[in-house]
Structure formats: C-alpha cells, structure tokens
Amino acid sequence: MSSKNSRLRVALVALVVAVAGLAAAGPAAAAAQQAPAAVSTALPEQAPAVLTGFVDLPTSPLPADSRKHRFTVTYRNDSSVDQVVAPQLLVESPDAGPFLEPSDVRVERRTATGCWEAVQLGSQTGTLYTDLSTAQRTLHAGDTLTEHYRLTVLDPAAEGTVHPRVALYG
C-alpha cells in the first residue's frame, strides 16, 4: 500500500470519528463547532454592543416574608440616538454573609402578554443576578423601558438587598 493511500485512509478515519463524535454530542455541540462557510454573501454582522456602565435604581431590603413582591425597572432614553440597554435585577447578600443561593429566591418577569415567566439567576460572590445578554434591547430616542419583576423569598432566613439597575451599551 502506498503512503498516499495510507494518509488518505487515516484522514478518512479521522473524519468519520469526528463526525461520529459530533453526532453523539448532539445538535447544539455540532452547531457550535461548524466551520464557517468559505464564501458568504450575507452582510457583515454588527459588532456586539460593549457594556459602558450602569444606571443604579433605588435599592430596598430583601423582603423575607414568603409573599410575592413586585419590582419595576424603569429607564428613559433622554438622548437623541437609539441606545442598547438591558434591565437587571440583583439580589445582594450581606457583606459578611451568609451568601444567598439561587434556590433561596424565585424571580419572575412579566411578559408582553401579561404572564409571569421564571427567570434563571446567576450567582457570583453572594450576588444573584438576572442575565444581561438575553435582556438586551434597543431603546429608541425618547422611549422608556419598563420591566416588571416579581420576587418571592423561599428561605425565611435569607437576608439581603434588592438592587434594580439598567446596563448601558455603547
């Protein structure tokens, strides 16, 4: 057998193993690992917005009474240009602990249809937070963003602060 045929056979086996591995990993992994097309006729994508700062809204103590409490995040774009923004709700632990866990609270967001949907919380160094990447939207000049959240404390011993804010992108 020639070395050329041997290299071709090795390359073919490697390709089959890679395809089988992607199939076993599932469609999400396969989609994430797809090579970009060699030729693209699509328009270039805009660069992702870069976080430039936050507008902090008034904080309040974490209501640890097992009732549902509403929080509203409101921000008005007073500039003359469109602005990318993202509402966020932080639930901050006391500085000295004990630190809150996502299972200590339930956060829901009101949808455009008026229904409440559960919001997954991230956690970092005792602060629980709603995701910014999925909350980004373009706020037109002069428009106001209003996002309604509902928070229920599930652990009666939980302590902390609720801190609504708006992320600004430039």
Side-chain angles (χ1 to χ4, degrees), residues 56-65 67-73 88-94 100 105 127-128 149-153 158-165:
D56 293 312
L57 301 172
T59 62
S60 61
L62 182 64
D65 60 7
R67 293 190 355 233
K68 296 176 180 180
H69 294 270
R70 292 185 182 194
F71 293 87
T72 302
V73 177
Q88 186 174 49
L89 195 64
L90 304 175
V91 183
E92 300 168 335
S93 297
L100 295 167
V105 300
T127 299
L128 307 178
Y149 293 97
R150 191 164 67 180
L151 183 138
T152 307
V153 177
E159 295 179 18
T161 305
V162 179
H163 180 174
R165 67 184 186 174

Side-chain angles (χ1 to χ4, degrees), residues 88-109:
Q88 186 174 49
L89 195 64
L90 304 175
V91 183
E92 300 168 335
S93 297
D95 290 339
F99 294 134
L100 295 167
E101 297 290 331
S103 60
D104 292 336
V105 300
R106 178 178 39 240
V107 175
E108 300 165 287
R109 183 184 68 81

Side-chain angles (χ1 to χ4, degrees), residues 49-57 73 75 83-88 90 132 136-137 145 163-170:
V50 176
L51 180 65
T52 58
F54 291 96
V55 174
D56 293 312
L57 301 172
V73 177
Y75 175 76
Q83 186 174 32
V84 176
V85 299
Q88 186 174 49
L90 304 175
L132 287 173
Q136 286 183 19
R137 62 198 69 181
L145 163 77
H163 180 174
R165 67 184 186 174
V166 177
L168 305 176
Y169 295 84

Side-chain angles (χ1 to χ4, degrees), residues 105-169:
V105 300
R106 178 178 39 240
V107 175
E108 300 165 287
R109 183 184 68 81
R110 192 169 188 165
T111 66
T113 60
C115 298
W116 292 99
E117 68 180 4
V119 176
Q120 294 295 321
L121 296 175
S123 177
Q124 183 175 4
T125 319
T127 299
L128 307 178
Y129 57 89
T130 58
D131 184 43
L132 287 173
S133 64
T134 58
Q136 286 183 19
R137 62 198 69 181
T138 299
L139 190 60
H140 299 293
D143 283 356
T144 299
L145 163 77
T146 302
E147 192 74 41
H148 299 281
Y149 293 97
R150 191 164 67 180
L151 183 138
T152 307
V153 177
L154 304 173
D155 178 358
E159 295 179 18
T161 305
V162 179
H163 180 174
R165 67 184 186 174
V166 177
L168 305 176
Y169 295 84

